[in-house]
Amino acid sequence: MSSSSLKLDPARCRAARCRSCGTVGLLPVLDLGQMPLSDRLVNPEATAGEPRYPLEVVLCPECALVQIMETVPPEVVFDEDYPYFSSYSTTLLEHSKRHAEALIGARGLGPQSLVVELASNDGYMLKNFKERGIEVLGIDPAPGPARVAQENGIETLCEFFTIELARKVAVQGQRADVIIANNVLAHVADTNGFVQGIAALLADDGMLSVEAPYLRDLVKHLEFDTIYHEHLCYFSVTSVAALFRRNGLYLNEVRWLPIHGGSLRYYAGHQEQPSESVAEFLEQERELGMLGQSYYADFAERVGKLIGEVRELLFSLAGSGSSIAAYGAAAKGAILLNALGEAAEKIDFVVDRNPYKQGKLMPGTHTPILAPEALLERRPDYTLILPWNLADEIIAQQGEYSAAGGRFIVPIPTPRVVDAAPV
C-alpha cells in the first residue's frame, strides 16, 4: 500500500484538539501510516517488538498550525540513547557560528550578558559565545548530548524546559539577554507552556531567536520525510505569530534561511516592534492560501508519486545488478526508508560519521549502520543520500568514492543521480 492511499479517520480529525489554540476539529493533510520512532536506532540484539505509531498530519482551521495527532511521550523520544549530535555536521557548525557572530554584534553581547539555548545538544552553538567570554547556559533533556556539552565546558542543565524550570532559573537572577531555540519548538507537546517559559526567562529588553523548518518549503518541495513523531508541529509565520502573541511575546522579524531544506528564523521580544518582514510573510501566506485546506489538497498525492519514483529507481538499479548503499542515519532517512517498503531492502547498508550510530540498525527497516569508510571498502555503485539537505557537503566529503566511480542519488524534491560534487 502506498502512503498516499492511506486516509485519516474523519472521526479522529473531528475529535482532535489543536496543540496551539485548542480548537477542536482539525482538517486532514497527510497520512503516512504506522511509523517507527525515526531517531530510535535499533541495537542488533534487540530487534523484536519495535514500536510503531500513527503518523497523521492535520491542519487547524483557526490558527493555521499544521501538526501531527500522535504524541509519543518525550521521555521515550529523548532517552539515554538519543543519537543526534549536532557537531557532526560541518554545514550546521558553520551556520551556527555565523548566527552567533550576528547576535553578538547586533545585541552588543559581552561578559555581562547571558545567552541561554534551549535544546542545546552537545554545545555546538553555545561554544561560539563562550569563546568570546559570554556567559552561557544550555538546557537539553537528552543525556548523551548534554554530557558531551558539559565535558566541553558548556554549562548545561539536562532537563526538559518548562515554565517551572524557567521561573526557577529566573528567580536565581539569571534572565537571558538572548534565548536561542533552534529546531526545538516543533518538538514540544506543551507548545504554549514552552513559550510562556521563554517569556518568563527572557529579560525585559531581551531577544528570542527561533529557527524552524518552513511549512511552505516542506509542502512545495515535498519534504515529507521531515515529518516524524519528534516533530509535533510544522510552522508558518501565521501560526508562530499567533502562538507568540497568545503567550506574551511579539514576533518582530522573520528571515528565510536555506538550511534544512528551507527554514525561517523568527526574532521576538516582550515589546511589539515588527519590521516589514513580518507583514510581508503574513501577506504572502494569505495569498498562497496557506491558512486553508485547499493549499494542502494535493500534497498527499504528490508525496505518493515521489515515493513511487524513488521506489522505481531503486528497483531498476538493483534489477540491473547495481549495488546500493545509503549515507546518513538521519531521522528523515528513517521515514524515507520505511515509506519505500520493499524497495528499502535493496539498500545494503547505511554509513554515518557519528560513531554513536555506527553498529546499530535503522529504525523499522533494520538496515545496518557502518562508518563512512565502508563506501570505499565495499564500493557500492550508488549511494542514496538520506539527509538530502546536506547533499553538497556529503558529496564533497566523499570525493574519493566519486573518483572510484561511485554515484549518488538525491531523493528530494525529485530523485536524481549525481556523479560528483557540483563545481
Side-chain angles (χ1 to χ4, degrees):
M1 177 180 291
S2 68
S3 296
S4 61
S5 64
L6 298 169
K7 301 294 183 182
L8 280 81
D9 181 354
R12 277 174 55 79
C13 293
R14 287 194 297 270
R17 182 182 297 274
C18 176
R19 299 175 182 276
S20 182
C21 70
T23 294
V24 177
L26 307 182
L27 306 174
V29 173
L30 175 68
D31 184 358
L32 288 170
Q34 298 284 330
M35 285 282 181
L37 295 179
S38 57
D39 261 324
R40 177 61 67 87
L41 302 181
V42 179
N43 291 314
E45 66 278 5
T47 58
E50 184 181 9
R52 288 177 176 264
Y53 304 89
L55 194 52
E56 303 161 317
V57 185
V58 290
L59 167 71
C60 175
E62 182 64 30
C63 72
L65 178 64
V66 171
Q67 55 205 283
I68 65 171
M69 288 200 288
E70 191 78 12
T71 301
V72 180
E75 59 273 14
V76 174
V77 178
F78 302 102
D79 67 354
E80 180 70 35
D81 294 325
Y82 185 70
Y84 183 75
F85 290 75
S86 299
S87 292
Y88 288 100
S89 169
T90 303
T91 299
L92 186 56
L93 290 176
E94 293 173 350
H95 171 80
S96 301
K97 184 176 182 179
R98 290 192 299 270
H99 184 194
E101 290 173 347
L103 285 171
I104 291 169
R107 304 296 294 177
L109 302 178
Q112 76 289 351
S113 307
L114 172 63
V115 175
V116 175
E117 184 178 14
L118 312 179
S120 50
N121 200 259
D122 57 12
Y124 74 103
M125 178 72 177
L126 289 180
K127 71 176 184 179
N128 295 292
F129 297 97
K130 187 175 178 64
E131 289 168 356
R132 299 280 291 271
I134 300 167
E135 185 180 356
V136 300
L137 174 65
I139 301 174
D140 196 294
R147 186 182 310 114
V148 170
Q150 292 162 350
E151 291 170 352
N152 290 331
I154 304 297
E155 183 179 353
T156 303
L157 300 177
C158 186
E159 299 184 44
F160 287 99
F161 180 72
T162 62
I163 189 169
E164 291 78 18
L165 177 60
R167 288 170 176 163
K168 178 180 176 182
V169 173
V171 164
Q172 295 172 349
Q174 292 182 292
R175 294 187 73 195
D177 299 284
V178 172
I179 294 179
I180 300 169
N182 292 341
N183 299 299
V184 60
L185 189 58
H187 299 185
V188 182
D190 183 8
T191 311
N192 291 294
F194 189 81
V195 178
Q196 290 166 14
I198 292 173
L201 184 56
L202 188 66
D204 291 342
D205 60 348
M207 172 183 281
L208 167 66
S209 176
V210 173
E211 284 184 24
Y214 190 21
L215 176 63
R216 183 191 67 187
D217 294 304
L218 186 156
V219 173
K220 181 178 179 180
H221 302 300
L222 296 178
E223 298 167 3
F224 78 94
D225 56 342
T226 62
I227 298 169
Y228 41 89
H229 299 100
E230 188 178 322
H231 289 171
L232 301 173
C233 300
Y234 303 85
F235 291 105
S236 60
V237 177
T238 302
S239 60
V240 167
L243 171 65
F244 284 178
R245 183 177 292 273
R246 187 183 309 114
N247 295 292
L249 293 174
Y250 299 97
L251 180 61
N252 289 324
E253 188 174 355
V254 184
R255 297 181 188 175
W256 184 87
L257 306 166
I259 196 163
H260 299 311
S263 298
L264 291 183
R265 183 178 292 158
Y266 304 91
Y267 295 97
H270 289 289
Q271 287 79 41
E272 188 171 13
Q273 300 170 328
S275 70
E276 291 182 2
S277 63
V278 177
E280 289 171 355
F281 271 97
L282 291 173
E283 180 59 27
Q284 288 172 13
E285 291 180 356
R286 281 193 293 269
E287 290 179 352
L288 286 171
M290 291 178 63
L291 313 191
Q293 192 177 19
S294 59
Y295 181 76
Y296 310 93
D298 66 344
F299 183 53
E301 182 179 343
R302 292 165 57 222
V303 167
K305 180 180 178 183
L306 172 61
I307 293 171
E309 290 172 349
V310 179
R311 284 169 53 91
E312 183 178 344
L313 176 58
L314 296 183
F315 278 129
S316 175
L317 293 175
S320 64
S322 296
S323 54
I324 309 170
Y327 193 108
K332 57 168 53 74
I335 296 300
L336 177 60
L337 290 182
N338 281 275
L340 292 175
E342 293 180 357
E345 298 173 7
K346 304 303 178 183
I347 296 172
D348 298 324
F349 59 92
V350 178
V351 300
D352 197 285
R353 293 176 67 190
N354 186 342
Y356 295 93
K357 297 183 179 183
Q358 295 163 12
K360 295 187 177 181
L361 309 177
M362 290 295 289
T365 63
H366 299 168
T367 314
I369 304 169
L370 309 177
E373 290 76 17
L375 291 183
L376 288 175
E377 294 166 358
R378 302 195 182 191
R379 299 288 179 89
D381 298 303
Y382 293 87
T383 298
L384 176 66
I385 297 179
L386 298 176
W388 43 264
N389 54 305
L390 302 175
D392 289 349
E393 173 186 332
I394 292 167
I395 294 171
Q397 289 172 357
Q398 298 302 319
E400 192 174 351
Y401 168 72
S402 296
R407 307 177 75 186
F408 292 95
I409 303 169
V410 181
I412 290 175
T414 185
R416 56 191 174 92
V417 176
V418 180
D419 293 304
V423 178

